[in-house]
């Protein structure tokens, strides 16, 4: 059938044939330790596959790379999005949340979502900086919301570092990788609070509220 093609290209160093066979694998990166977490292409691949599409990559060393995304063309009538549901008057947030996400654009969006729902947000793109912020904050931090895979320190290691530093708080983890892949890799325990990116505003707010209302604050806070 007909497809819509989205082309993303660069004029960088290119990708050799061996690496091209691995770029869509979860957690694969050609970067050295502590210098990055890859391009997240496995997440892109998963989203495209879920929408019955496919990706073609064309590249060679020194000639940049071109990714072509093909998505099935919709030939039916265009239907307007339904009106958002009316507010149910649920409780707005008032607690303080420490948000750690190494992508500045994503961090800004999450911060805006939480602040618009009443939360006080401490935000940073760096896990080490998150420990400093927590230690300098004179009031209670009710929840740590952190990405799982970050340069230098994983979200689980950050949570452990905060606890070791005497910062006792609830923990919530997020990632573009599915929970089963993360747990199979031993990066995160299966019973921890987790939300997969991309998530909706409502899903994030509901998950945060659920944790704050149902999980007691850790002892020692």
């Amino acid at each position: 059938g007909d497809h819509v093609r989205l082309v993303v290209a660069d004029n960088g160093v290119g990708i050799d044939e061996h690496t091209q066979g691995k770029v869509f694998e979860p957690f694969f990166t050609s970067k050295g330790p502590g210098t990055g977490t890859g391009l997240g292409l496995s997440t892109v691949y998963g989203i495209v596959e879920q929408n019955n599409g496919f990706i073609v990559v064309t590249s060679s060393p020194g000639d940049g790379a071109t990714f072509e995304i093909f998505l099935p063309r919709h030939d039916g009538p265009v239907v307007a999005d339904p009106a958002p549901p009316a507010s149910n008057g649920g409780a707005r947030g008032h607690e303080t949340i420490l948000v750690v996400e190494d992508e500045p654009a994503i961090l800004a969006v999450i911060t805006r979502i939480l602040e618009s729902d009443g939360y006080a947000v401490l935000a940073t793109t760096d896990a080490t900086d998150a420990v400093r912020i927590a230690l300098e904050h004179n009031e209670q931090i009710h929840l740590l919301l952190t990405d799982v895979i970050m340069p230098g320190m994983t979200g689980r290691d950050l949570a452990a570092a905060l606890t070791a530093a005497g910062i006792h708080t609830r923990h919530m983890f997020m990632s573009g990788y599915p929970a089963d892949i993360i747990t199979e890799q031993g990066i995160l325990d299966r019973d921890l609070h987790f939300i997969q990116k991309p998530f909706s505003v409502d899903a994030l707010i509901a998950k945060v509220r659920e944790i704050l209302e149902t999980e007691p604050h850790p002892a020692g806070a």
Side-chain angles (χ1 to χ4, degrees), residues 107-192:
L107 178 65
V109 170
I110 294 173
T111 299
R112 186 164 64 248
I113 291 171
L114 294 175
E115 288 181 340
S116 68
D117 205 58
Y119 295 99
V121 178
L122 306 173
T124 179
T125 58
D126 182 79
T128 302
D129 190 49
V131 177
R132 177 192 61 79
I133 291 173
L135 289 172
E136 293 178 356
H137 188 68
N138 294 324
E139 300 180 8
Q140 187 178 79
I141 296 176
H142 300 85
L143 175 68
L144 165 68
L145 172 58
T146 178
D147 196 11
V148 175
I149 308 298
M150 298 181 291
M153 186 184 301
T154 68
R156 185 172 67 173
D157 290 341
L158 170 58
L162 289 175
T163 300
I167 307 298
H168 300 274
T169 185
R170 304 168 182 87
H171 302 146
M172 176 177 167
F173 301 91
M174 55 186 171
S175 177
Y177 298 108
D180 56 346
I181 292 179
I182 291 176
T183 53
E184 287 172 4
Q185 294 286 328
I187 298 173
L188 205 63
D189 295 333
R190 192 172 296 276
D191 58 348
L192 296 177

Side-chain angles (χ1 to χ4, degrees), residues 48-92:
V48 172
E49 285 266 302
Q50 289 170 9
N51 288 278
N52 300 315
F54 59 94
I55 305 178
V56 176
V57 54
T58 304
S59 183
S60 60
D63 289 332
T66 299
F67 290 85
E68 298 176 274
I69 299 174
F70 294 83
L71 297 171
R73 179 180 178 183
H74 178 69
D75 292 323
V78 177
V79 179
D81 290 337
S87 173
N88 60 9
R92 280 171 53 84

Side-chain angles (χ1 to χ4, degrees), residues 43 47 175-176 195-200:
T43 300
I47 293 171
S175 177
I195 187 170
Q196 184 177 345
K197 297 185 287 188
F199 43 73
S200 68

Side-chain angles (χ1 to χ4, degrees), residues 21-45:
K22 297 178 174 292
V23 293
F24 297 117
E25 295 180 3
F27 306 110
F28 173 77
T29 177
S30 59
K31 300 178 181 179
T35 61
T37 56
L39 298 176
L41 289 174
S42 66
T43 300
V44 175
Y45 182 87

